[in-house]
Each structure stands twice: as C-alpha cells, then as structure tokens.
Amino acid sequence: MTKDVTNSTLTEIKVDFKTAVINIDREAIETQVEAAVEQYSKQEVTVENYDAVYSERTAYNKLIEGLEDKRKELRRKSLKPYDDFNNWYEQKVKNPLEKVVEEMSLGINSINEHKKKLRLDVVRAVFEEKCMVAGLEKSTFESKYADYAKATLFKNGKMELKKATLEEMDALVLAEFDALEQYKANKQAIYDQAQDYDLLPDSYIRHLEDGKSLVDVLQIMKSDRDQKELRKQQQEAREKAEAERQAEIERMAQEEANATIKAYNAETGEIIENEPLESDEGINVPPAPQTSPEVPKFEPSEPVSYDLRLTFPLGNPQAKQFKEWLEANGVTFETLLQGKTMAELTGGTADVF
C-alpha cells in the first residue's frame, strides 16, 4: 500500500536557543590593563628597575595564559551544545530527509519527463497539421519542438497549448510559407532568365540555395551572358576572317588555274602550240593562247643558283610537269632540308652566300 503523506506535520523544525552567560568584571579588568599599559609602555628598562619590570612581565604573562586557557574552556563549553545539535541534525534529520527527497525526486522527474514527452507530442502534432495545410514539409519546424513544449506555454493542468502560443506558431508557419513561395518564385525567375540567356540554370540555383539574393544571382547571370555573347562574337569574327581568307586563297588559285600554261621546245625554246596536256590525275592544262609572245633566246653565261619556294595551285600533276620541263631544259635542282642540301647536311661544304 502507498503511504498517505498528505497530513504530515513535518513542515518545520523548531529550535530553542539560549545564549551562554559569562560573568566577569570587565570594567575593573580593563582599568587595570590600561594602568599597566600606561606605566610600562613608555618606561625605559634600567639596571635599577630591571628586577621590578621582569617580575611584572612574568605576572602579566601568567595572567594572559590564564585568561587564554579560560577562553578556550569557555569556547569548548559553548560549542558543545552546538556540536551535539549538529550531530543529531546530520544523522537523525538531514540525511534521512535528503534520502527520501531524492527518492521523491526520482518519481517526480519521471512524471515530469513523461509530461514533457506528451507536450512534445502535442507540439509535433500541431506543427505537422499546420505544415500539411500550408503545403510545407511536416518536419520543417522539428528544431522548434522543444521551445514550444515548455509547461508555461500550455494551459494549467491540461495538455492544450495556450491561444497565444498557437497564434505564435501560426505566424511562424505563415512566415515560412511566404519564404518558400518567394523562393519558388525566385527559382522560377532564374529558370526563365536562364532560358532567355541560353544558360544552364543549375549553378545559379545553387547560388540561390547558398543564400544569395535574386538580384545578385540575376546580375551574375547577366555577366555570364555578356561574356558568352562576347566569346560568340569573337568566334564568329574569327570564322568570318578564316572564311574570307579561304575564299581569297581559292580565288587566287582559280585565277592561276585559268592562266595559260605554255610549253617550250627544250632545244629551240620555241612555243609548242599543241592540244592541252592531261595530267596523271586527269587534270587538263589549258593550251597557250595563240597570241603568246616569243620567248627570248639566252646567251651562254656562267651557271647561277637560286633558292626558291614554288607553289603549284593545281597540285602534284602540275609540279610533275614543271619538273619534267626543268629536266628537259637542263636545269638541275635539289631538295633543301632545314635550309641545306643533303651534301651540306652530311658534311659537305656549306654555301657561304
């Protein structure tokens, strides 16, 4: 059976205390002490009064020792009632009461913990319901549960939140809902702007998630768009210049291809007015015009050499035909490697010119 402690009379402990009385003629003693101090504090000790002063000092020391012993005795006697009371209080009152209070606290704390869990359940349920109505994740305010589970926020003796508490929670949910709607709007604005700028939106959404404002994110997007547009214009300019260069090369090659190729007799140097030559690859070399001027005749002279770079717009067939003409006219030629002939590269004498 549970012991009924509702009518316990142990509410306070009454202690009667009477101060000990010490009887002594304080005034007479103080008068004698003052006289001794007056007499000896300024007195010079000489050979003549040495014995008298010595004797008085001995008497005073014995007096002090006697009074000190008496003081200690009085202290022991005066503390004895306190010591007896203290021992009784520690063993018979304080220790048993503290033990039972500790046991009571365990039970009370258990109940309090249970009530706290119930309050947490109430707060969790209220928040989750409000989040569901607002379209928020039910765990949005999980970190706030302990703050709103305090007993002072509930009605006395009930597991019901106070009206003011509910209104504060409503305001919290509404603010979160507005913030979420604003975030969604900002996110959509970034998607729309990314589509207009032809940019990928993911990296800019991360800026928003990291706490940057919409204005800051849009400024970053505009800067990236401008850079992208600049790179595009530069690329287009390079491509246009390359196309123009290629067109010019093709134009010049076509002009050269349309020029008249004249064949010469290797012995006489006369122009041969025959049909167009056909190359190994089937490319026809147009005949020389009928009005070609005569080729001048050369007087014999000392041989001379030139380093040339020749470009054949009609490719290798044209180069092969030119090679044959050189050989037919006795013109010798060598291939240069790194600006030197094969003989020079293998140890021959280099041309000093």
Side-chain angles (χ1 to χ4, degrees):
M1 295 180 61
T2 303
K3 185 177 180 181
D4 185 7
V5 295
T6 57
N7 295 322
S8 174
T9 58
L10 187 59
T11 57
E12 61 178 346
I13 299 176
K14 294 182 179 180
V15 179
D16 293 329
F17 174 72
K18 293 181 180 180
T19 305
V21 178
I22 301 175
N23 295 318
I24 187 172
D25 190 352
R26 298 186 181 188
E27 185 177 351
I29 294 176
E30 290 175 3
T31 301
Q32 294 180 46
V33 171
E34 290 176 359
V37 171
E38 178 68 22
Q39 180 178 355
Y40 292 104
S41 62
K42 298 181 181 180
Q43 183 180 20
E44 182 181 358
V45 180
T46 63
V47 175
E48 289 77 10
N49 63 11
Y50 174 84
D51 292 336
V53 173
Y54 187 92
S55 177
E56 289 293 331
R57 189 194 68 172
T58 301
Y60 291 157
N61 282 336
K62 289 181 178 181
L63 178 60
I64 292 173
E65 291 175 2
L67 290 174
E68 185 64 18
D69 292 340
K70 193 65 176 178
R71 183 190 67 78
K72 293 177 181 179
E73 180 184 358
L74 291 174
R75 185 177 183 278
R76 285 193 300 270
K77 289 181 178 181
S78 63
L79 289 179
K80 189 176 185 304
Y82 168 78
D83 292 337
D84 293 342
F85 170 80
N86 187 61
N87 291 334
W88 169 81
Y89 166 71
E90 291 283 347
Q91 298 177 13
K92 300 296 182 179
V93 179
K94 181 182 178 183
N95 292 344
L97 284 178
E98 286 184 342
K99 184 176 180 181
V100 73
V101 166
E102 183 178 356
E103 293 176 356
M104 295 166 68
S105 296
L106 291 176
I108 292 173
N109 292 341
S110 178
I111 298 297
N112 287 340
E113 188 64 26
H114 178 67
K115 289 182 179 180
K116 182 179 180 180
K117 289 181 179 179
L118 292 177
R119 292 196 298 271
L120 279 171
D121 289 340
V122 172
V123 171
R124 180 184 297 106
V126 172
F127 265 125
E128 288 182 356
E129 181 181 2
K130 293 181 181 297
C131 287
M132 182 181 66
V133 173
L136 302 174
E137 289 290 335
K138 68 177 185 178
S139 60
T140 300
F141 299 99
E142 193 171 21
S143 62
K144 300 288 185 180
Y145 292 167
D147 296 336
Y148 285 91
K150 297 176 182 177
T152 55
L153 301 180
F154 282 71
K155 295 178 181 179
N156 291 332
K158 297 182 180 181
M159 283 296 165
E160 297 179 16
L161 288 164
K162 294 179 179 179
K163 181 180 178 181
T165 306
L166 292 172
E167 291 175 350
E168 185 176 336
M169 294 169 71
D170 285 337
L172 196 64
V173 173
L174 181 60
E176 182 66 20
F177 173 79
D178 291 341
L180 180 60
E181 289 300 304
Q182 184 62 54
Y183 173 78
K184 290 179 180 178
N186 293 346
K187 190 174 180 180
Q188 187 59 48
I190 291 175
Y191 275 115
D192 294 342
Q193 195 66 60
Q195 187 175 9
D196 291 342
Y197 286 170
D198 194 22
L199 298 172
L200 296 177
D202 293 346
S203 62
Y204 304 105
I205 296 298
R206 284 195 292 271
H207 283 310
L208 188 67
E209 292 172 348
D210 291 340
K212 289 187 180 296
S213 68
L214 177 63
V215 174
D216 291 339
V217 176
L218 293 178
Q219 288 178 345
I220 294 173
M221 296 179 72
K222 182 179 183 302
S223 177
D224 291 349
R225 189 279 309 268
D226 293 343
Q227 290 295 324
K228 181 178 179 180
E229 186 65 25
L230 178 60
R231 290 193 296 270
K232 180 180 178 181
Q233 292 175 359
Q234 292 173 343
Q235 180 64 24
E236 290 176 350
R238 287 193 295 267
E239 291 176 354
K240 181 179 179 182
E242 179 63 19
E244 292 176 351
R245 189 179 73 84
Q246 291 294 335
E248 180 65 16
I249 292 174
E250 292 176 2
R251 185 189 64 77
M252 295 175 64
Q254 188 62 37
E255 289 182 355
E256 293 183 11
N258 293 333
T260 300
I261 304 299
K262 299 178 180 180
Y264 300 90
N265 186 295
E267 296 180 355
T268 64
E270 294 179 348
I271 298 175
I272 302 175
E273 305 288 348
N274 292 334
E275 294 296 324
L277 299 177
E278 184 173 341
S279 68
D280 293 343
E281 297 183 5
I283 299 176
N284 293 327
V285 180
Q290 297 296 327
T291 58
S292 298
E294 294 184 358
V295 177
K297 296 182 179 180
F298 302 101
E299 294 294 332
S301 63
E302 294 294 327
V304 62
S305 296
Y306 299 96
D307 290 342
L308 302 175
R309 180 186 297 274
L310 302 177
T311 301
F312 299 94
L314 299 182
N316 286 331
Q318 186 181 16
K320 183 178 180 181
Q321 182 180 0
F322 182 70
K323 175 183 176 184
E324 293 173 351
W325 181 88
L326 294 176
E327 292 174 344
N329 286 275
V331 180
T332 61
F333 52 87
E334 295 179 274
T335 301
L336 299 181
L337 299 174
Q338 299 178 0
K340 295 182 179 180
T341 66
M342 184 60 67
E344 292 170 345
L345 287 172
T346 55
T349 304
D351 189 353
V352 297
F353 295 102

